[in-house]
């Protein structure tokens, strides 16, 4: 009830705070791995690896309902969110050091490593810099557009300049619609 999921255009958390009864939607969740570390009379300590969109607090509540004893989370720590993990984390206290500040930054192209990557060159670089999708690039997206249409889900694409390897643009391929340029980076 206290999530940001919207039902009829209203966030569940806002409805719950106003004590408005709303039918909470169910959502299938996919778990890849679950490791139980310790079970006591009152607690269960575990690690789980799940897909994006999993509601762990709701899962814990449902687990408690299924066991007939109720359950809430005592603590929750995200240790990985593709492509980031705690090994690359920097303590906030360390950010006062200029060296740590620089190490804390991750290049945008690396942050979006799960997005498809395409390279362009020559005249197409100028077109992309001006916010236009080059015709040759659009033709190369035909297969991606078909998979996006089939899944009814958008897909992010990174556009790089072929010779320099610089990230030029971020584009969203939408189901049954024309691709949409989200950001253009000019390195002048």
């Amino acid at each position: 009830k206290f999530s940001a999921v919207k039902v009829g255009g209203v966030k569940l958390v806002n409805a719950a705070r106003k004590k408005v009864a709303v039918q909470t939607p169910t959502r299938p969740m996919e778990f890849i791995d679950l490791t139980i570390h310790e079970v006591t009379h009152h607690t269960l300590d575990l690690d789980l690896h799940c897909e994006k969109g999993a509601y762990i607090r709701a899962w814990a509540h449902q687990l408690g309902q299924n066991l007939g004893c109720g359950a809430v989370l005592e603590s929750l720590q995200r240790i990985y969110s593709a492509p980031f993990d705690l090994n690359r984390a920097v303590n906030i206290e360390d950010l006062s050091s200029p060296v740590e500040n620089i190490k804390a930054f991750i290049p945008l192209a690396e942050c979006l490593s799960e997005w498809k990557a395409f390279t362009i060159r020559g005249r197409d670089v100028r077109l992309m810099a001006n916010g236009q999708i080059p015709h040759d690039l659009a033709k190369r997206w035909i297969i991606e557009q078909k998979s996006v249409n089939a899944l009814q889900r958008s897909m992010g694409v990174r556009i790089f300049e072929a010779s320099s390897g610089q990230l030029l643009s971020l584009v969203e391929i939408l189901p049954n619609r024309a691709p949409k340029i989200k950001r253009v980076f000019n390195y002048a």
Side-chain angles (χ1 to χ4, degrees):
K1 291 180 183 179
F2 289 91
S3 73
V5 172
K6 289 185 178 180
V7 174
V10 177
K11 288 183 180 180
L12 288 178
V13 66
N14 294 339
R17 286 180 180 148
K18 293 178 182 175
K19 297 185 179 10
V20 175
V22 176
Q23 179 63 38
T24 306
T26 59
R27 174 180 292 183
M29 293 183 263
E30 185 172 336
F31 296 94
I32 293 125
D33 189 25
L34 188 136
T35 305
I36 297 174
H37 297 291
E38 183 180 8
V39 178
T40 68
H41 185 66
H42 297 289
T43 63
L44 172 63
D45 181 24
L46 58 88
D47 288 335
L48 60 86
H49 181 184
C50 58
E51 290 292 327
K52 164 176 121 169
Y55 289 89
I56 304 306
R57 288 178 185 87
W59 176 80
H61 172 74
Q62 188 61 50
L63 177 65
Q65 295 299 307
N66 292 352
L67 293 173
C69 61
V72 295
L73 290 183
E74 185 175 292
S75 67
L76 173 64
Q77 181 180 26
R78 181 176 297 187
I79 60 172
Y80 178 78
S81 182
F84 310 105
D85 64 28
L86 286 181
N87 294 331
R88 294 196 63 177
V90 177
N91 289 326
I92 197 146
E93 297 83 23
D94 294 336
L95 288 176
S96 60
S97 156
V99 172
E100 287 300 322
N101 284 341
I102 291 169
K103 286 187 347 189
F105 289 106
I106 300 170
L108 184 59
E110 188 180 328
C111 294
L112 301 172
S113 61
E114 71 277 7
W115 287 25
K116 292 237 182 195
F118 288 87
T119 58
I120 58 175
R121 62 183 79 238
R123 179 177 172 268
D124 289 349
V125 172
R126 274 194 322 277
L127 289 171
M128 185 60 71
N130 290 326
Q132 298 173 311
I133 296 175
H135 181 68
D136 289 343
L137 183 59
K139 284 189 339 192
R140 289 167 43 197
W141 287 343
I142 291 171
I143 293 170
E144 280 73 17
Q145 184 70 50
K146 287 180 181 177
S147 67
V148 163
N149 291 345
L151 295 172
Q152 289 297 306
R153 196 167 64 198
S154 66
M155 178 176 92
V157 175
R158 299 171 294 154
I159 309 299
F160 292 92
E161 202 274 320
S163 60
S164 70
Q166 284 188 312
L167 179 64
L168 296 175
S169 182
L170 300 176
V171 177
E172 182 179 22
I173 298 178
L174 302 156
N176 303 308
R177 296 198 339 233
K180 181 178 181 182
I181 296 175
K182 301 301 278 183
R183 295 286 182 273
V184 174
F185 306 101
N186 289 318
Y187 301 97

